[in-house]
């Protein structure tokens, strides 16, 4: 009898992390925009925590709760000024279970 191969997804492991929300003080903000750039749109697909999504007006919004602080959004959009990124205040943000 062979063991079936199980494909491990990021989403399967995210539930193990904990996140302490700093209510009213998100560490990432998307600057107001009429049309999102290609990089801003890319965040809706590449953010591993799925924090970015399009609203009904076609603009990119963020829900920073659950952000893994991986830096993907900083690499894509911070230098262009489309997002404002800061580290969360001490004691807030992601708490990794395994390091």
């Amino acid at each position: 009898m062979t063991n079936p191969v199980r494909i491990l997804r990021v989403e399967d492991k995210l539930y193990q992390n904990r996140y302490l929300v700093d209510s009213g003080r998100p560490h990432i903000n998307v600057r107001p925009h009429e049309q999102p750039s290609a990089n801003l749109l890319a965040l809706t697909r590449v953010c591993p925590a799925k924090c970015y999504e399009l609203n009904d007006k076609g603009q990119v919004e963020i829900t920073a709760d659950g952000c893994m602080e991986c830096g993907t959004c900083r690499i894509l959009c911070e230098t262009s000024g489309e997002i404002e990124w800061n580290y969360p205040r001490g004691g807030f943000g992601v708490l990794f279970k395994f390091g």
Side-chain angles (χ1 to χ4, degrees), residues 8 24 27 30 43 53 62:
L8 188 61
H27 68 285
V30 176
L43 289 178
E53 59 184 26
I62 182 167

Side-chain angles (χ1 to χ4, degrees), residues 16-35:
Q16 296 184 16
N17 296 332
R18 299 294 173 254
Y19 195 86
L20 187 56
V21 177
D22 192 0
S23 296
R25 295 183 68 171
H27 68 285
I28 304 171
N29 289 303
V30 176
R31 299 243 169 112
H33 56 280
E34 294 293 321
Q35 284 279 40

Side-chain angles (χ1 to χ4, degrees), residues 73-83:
C73 57
R74 290 183 76 184
I75 292 168
L76 284 175
C77 296
E78 189 177 40
T79 56
S80 66
E82 295 173 289
I83 66 165

